[in-house]
Amino acid sequence: YHCQNGCKERIGVDIIHNSFTQWLIDISIKPVIGQLYLAVMEDIFKTNEKDRNSEILRLSHEIKNKEEMLNKADRKLINDELDKEGYNRVKDSLQKEILSLKVRISELKETESGFMEYLKYGVALLGNLPHYYSTTTLEGKQRILGSIFPEKLIFSENTYRTAKPNEVIDLLYNV
């Protein structure tokens, strides 16, 4: 490897690769830290899951209430306690509200993502960066490097640095 823009300095491939592998080892999170992080995030995720389920339940009750109001409007129309125009206004309004509530429930149910699976994969990746980096394709290596380094990677004084480190990697490295 050598510098760009007319620089005459050359550094051996073995030195670059060994130093980079060591740097990946250094920034890899320790298994204990990874397990603690997973436990905390799983607890937060379960709390959010409970909140989501209780919101779905609340919205379902609200739908039932709106449907009961619609049934009452039906009975009032039948008993001539409500004129056709008033009934249509109430009916349209309640049907729009019911539809809106059903859409919201649908959205809440769809948000059940594979968050924990992604998190487990991410922690495993960050816990064994050298292995994943050495066994992936060129495209995979470029993705890993692009994720770690938002800007150019510089090798200087037998170590790596970047003008602007990735904040997540920086945070994990300092744990």
Side-chain angles (χ1 to χ4, degrees), residues 110-122:
E110 287 176 9
T111 59
E112 187 176 326
S113 64
F115 175 74
M116 281 307 294
E117 293 306 312
Y118 289 121
L119 185 62
K120 287 176 185 175
Y121 174 77

PDB file of all heavy atoms in Angstrom, residues 110-122:
ATOM      1  N   GLU A 110     -48.542  -4.461  12.649  1.00  0.00           N
ATOM      2  CA  GLU A 110     -47.477  -4.615  11.661  1.00  0.00           C
ATOM      3  C   GLU A 110     -46.118  -4.193  12.193  1.00  0.00           C
ATOM      4  O   GLU A 110     -45.105  -4.608  11.649  1.00  0.00           O
ATOM      5  CB  GLU A 110     -47.806  -3.807  10.403  1.00  0.00           C
ATOM      6  CG  GLU A 110     -48.902  -4.417   9.577  1.00  0.00           C
ATOM      7  CD  GLU A 110     -49.286  -3.555   8.393  1.00  0.00           C
ATOM      8  OE1 GLU A 110     -48.594  -2.560   8.106  1.00  0.00           O
ATOM      9  OE2 GLU A 110     -50.300  -3.877   7.758  1.00  0.00           O
ATOM     10  N   THR A 111     -46.086  -3.372  13.225  1.00  0.00           N
ATOM     11  CA  THR A 111     -44.802  -2.900  13.741  1.00  0.00           C
ATOM     12  C   THR A 111     -44.045  -3.994  14.465  1.00  0.00           C
ATOM     13  O   THR A 111     -42.903  -3.795  14.846  1.00  0.00           O
ATOM     14  CB  THR A 111     -44.964  -1.693  14.702  1.00  0.00           C
ATOM     15  OG1 THR A 111     -45.790  -2.073  15.788  1.00  0.00           O
ATOM     16  CG2 THR A 111     -45.516  -0.500  13.981  1.00  0.00           C
ATOM     17  N   GLU A 112     -44.672  -5.128  14.619  1.00  0.00           N
ATOM     18  CA  GLU A 112     -43.974  -6.246  15.245  1.00  0.00           C
ATOM     19  C   GLU A 112     -42.902  -6.713  14.267  1.00  0.00           C
ATOM     20  O   GLU A 112     -43.142  -7.510  13.369  1.00  0.00           O
ATOM     21  CB  GLU A 112     -44.942  -7.386  15.550  1.00  0.00           C
ATOM     22  CG  GLU A 112     -44.312  -8.488  16.350  1.00  0.00           C
ATOM     23  CD  GLU A 112     -45.324  -9.553  16.726  1.00  0.00           C
ATOM     24  OE1 GLU A 112     -46.481  -9.207  16.957  1.00  0.00           O
ATOM     25  OE2 GLU A 112     -44.931 -10.714  16.775  1.00  0.00           O
ATOM     26  N   SER A 113     -41.743  -6.156  14.424  1.00  0.00           N
ATOM     27  CA  SER A 113     -40.651  -6.461  13.504  1.00  0.00           C
ATOM     28  C   SER A 113     -39.738  -7.496  14.146  1.00  0.00           C
ATOM     29  O   SER A 113     -39.911  -7.887  15.281  1.00  0.00           O
ATOM     30  CB  SER A 113     -39.850  -5.194  13.209  1.00  0.00           C
ATOM     31  OG  SER A 113     -39.238  -4.745  14.392  1.00  0.00           O
ATOM     32  N   GLY A 114     -38.749  -7.892  13.408  1.00  0.00           N
ATOM     33  CA  GLY A 114     -37.761  -8.821  13.933  1.00  0.00           C
ATOM     34  C   GLY A 114     -36.664  -8.074  14.665  1.00  0.00           C
ATOM     35  O   GLY A 114     -35.492  -8.424  14.535  1.00  0.00           O
ATOM     36  N   PHE A 115     -37.057  -7.071  15.446  1.00  0.00           N
ATOM     37  CA  PHE A 115     -36.085  -6.210  16.112  1.00  0.00           C
ATOM     38  C   PHE A 115     -35.069  -7.015  16.927  1.00  0.00           C
ATOM     39  O   PHE A 115     -33.861  -6.790  16.806  1.00  0.00           O
ATOM     40  CB  PHE A 115     -36.802  -5.202  17.015  1.00  0.00           C
ATOM     41  CG  PHE A 115     -35.877  -4.360  17.830  1.00  0.00           C
ATOM     42  CD1 PHE A 115     -35.152  -3.342  17.250  1.00  0.00           C
ATOM     43  CD2 PHE A 115     -35.706  -4.603  19.185  1.00  0.00           C
ATOM     44  CE1 PHE A 115     -34.279  -2.570  17.989  1.00  0.00           C
ATOM     45  CE2 PHE A 115     -34.840  -3.835  19.940  1.00  0.00           C
ATOM     46  CZ  PHE A 115     -34.127  -2.820  19.341  1.00  0.00           C
ATOM     47  N   MET A 116     -35.551  -7.938  17.737  1.00  0.00           N
ATOM     48  CA  MET A 116     -34.620  -8.693  18.586  1.00  0.00           C
ATOM     49  C   MET A 116     -33.692  -9.563  17.746  1.00  0.00           C
ATOM     50  O   MET A 116     -32.521  -9.725  18.084  1.00  0.00           O
ATOM     51  CB  MET A 116     -35.379  -9.541  19.609  1.00  0.00           C
ATOM     52  CG  MET A 116     -35.887  -8.756  20.800  1.00  0.00           C
ATOM     53  SD  MET A 116     -34.636  -7.764  21.669  1.00  0.00           S
ATOM     54  CE  MET A 116     -33.566  -9.014  22.329  1.00  0.00           C
ATOM     55  N   GLU A 117     -34.194 -10.096  16.644  1.00  0.00           N
ATOM     56  CA  GLU A 117     -33.336 -10.906  15.772  1.00  0.00           C
ATOM     57  C   GLU A 117     -32.243 -10.047  15.146  1.00  0.00           C
ATOM     58  O   GLU A 117     -31.085 -10.455  15.083  1.00  0.00           O
ATOM     59  CB  GLU A 117     -34.162 -11.599  14.685  1.00  0.00           C
ATOM     60  CG  GLU A 117     -35.109 -12.652  15.233  1.00  0.00           C
ATOM     61  CD  GLU A 117     -34.416 -13.690  16.094  1.00  0.00           C
ATOM     62  OE1 GLU A 117     -33.372 -14.239  15.675  1.00  0.00           O
ATOM     63  OE2 GLU A 117     -34.919 -13.955  17.211  1.00  0.00           O
ATOM     64  N   TYR A 118     -32.626  -8.852  14.695  1.00  0.00           N
ATOM     65  CA  TYR A 118     -31.628  -7.936  14.144  1.00  0.00           C
ATOM     66  C   TYR A 118     -30.611  -7.537  15.213  1.00  0.00           C
ATOM     67  O   TYR A 118     -29.413  -7.451  14.953  1.00  0.00           O
ATOM     68  CB  TYR A 118     -32.285  -6.665  13.583  1.00  0.00           C
ATOM     69  CG  TYR A 118     -33.061  -6.877  12.316  1.00  0.00           C
ATOM     70  CD1 TYR A 118     -34.407  -6.576  12.253  1.00  0.00           C
ATOM     71  CD2 TYR A 118     -32.444  -7.361  11.169  1.00  0.00           C
ATOM     72  CE1 TYR A 118     -35.133  -6.757  11.084  1.00  0.00           C
ATOM     73  CE2 TYR A 118     -33.153  -7.550   9.996  1.00  0.00           C
ATOM     74  CZ  TYR A 118     -34.498  -7.248   9.966  1.00  0.00           C
ATOM     75  OH  TYR A 118     -35.199  -7.419   8.817  1.00  0.00           O
ATOM     76  N   LEU A 119     -31.100  -7.291  16.393  1.00  0.00           N
ATOM     77  CA  LEU A 119     -30.224  -6.898  17.486  1.00  0.00           C
ATOM     78  C   LEU A 119     -29.245  -8.016  17.831  1.00  0.00           C
ATOM     79  O   LEU A 119     -28.052  -7.772  18.006  1.00  0.00           O
ATOM     80  CB  LEU A 119     -31.050  -6.506  18.708  1.00  0.00           C
ATOM     81  CG  LEU A 119     -30.267  -5.952  19.888  1.00  0.00           C
ATOM     82  CD1 LEU A 119     -29.552  -4.661  19.504  1.00  0.00           C
ATOM     83  CD2 LEU A 119     -31.200  -5.692  21.059  1.00  0.00           C
ATOM     84  N   LYS A 120     -29.739  -9.244  17.912  1.00  0.00           N
ATOM     85  CA  LYS A 120     -28.866 -10.391  18.214  1.00  0.00           C
ATOM     86  C   LYS A 120     -27.790 -10.536  17.138  1.00  0.00           C
ATOM     87  O   LYS A 120     -26.620 -10.781  17.445  1.00  0.00           O
ATOM     88  CB  LYS A 120     -29.679 -11.672  18.330  1.00  0.00           C
ATOM     89  CG  LYS A 120     -30.493 -11.749  19.597  1.00  0.00           C
ATOM     90  CD  LYS A 120     -31.367 -12.993  19.620  1.00  0.00           C
ATOM     91  CE  LYS A 120     -32.264 -12.989  20.852  1.00  0.00           C
ATOM     92  NZ  LYS A 120     -33.198 -14.111  20.864  1.00  0.00           N
ATOM     93  N   TYR A 121     -28.200 -10.386  15.877  1.00  0.00           N
ATOM     94  CA  TYR A 121     -27.233 -10.481  14.788  1.00  0.00           C
ATOM     95  C   TYR A 121     -26.197  -9.362  14.901  1.00  0.00           C
ATOM     96  O   TYR A 121     -24.997  -9.599  14.744  1.00  0.00           O
ATOM     97  CB  TYR A 121     -27.940 -10.412  13.428  1.00  0.00           C
ATOM     98  CG  TYR A 121     -26.968 -10.351  12.284  1.00  0.00           C
ATOM     99  CD1 TYR A 121     -26.292 -11.492  11.860  1.00  0.00           C
ATOM    100  CD2 TYR A 121     -26.690  -9.145  11.642  1.00  0.00           C
ATOM    101  CE1 TYR A 121     -25.386 -11.440  10.826  1.00  0.00           C
ATOM    102  CE2 TYR A 121     -25.780  -9.083  10.602  1.00  0.00           C
ATOM    103  CZ  TYR A 121     -25.133 -10.226  10.201  1.00  0.00           C
ATOM    104  OH  TYR A 121     -24.218 -10.168   9.180  1.00  0.00           O
ATOM    105  N   GLY A 122     -26.660  -8.149  15.170  1.00  0.00           N
ATOM    106  CA  GLY A 122     -25.747  -7.012  15.290  1.00  0.00           C
ATOM    107  C   GLY A 122     -24.749  -7.182  16.419  1.00  0.00           C
ATOM    108  O   GLY A 122     -23.562  -6.898  16.259  1.00  0.00           O
TER     109      GLY A 122
END
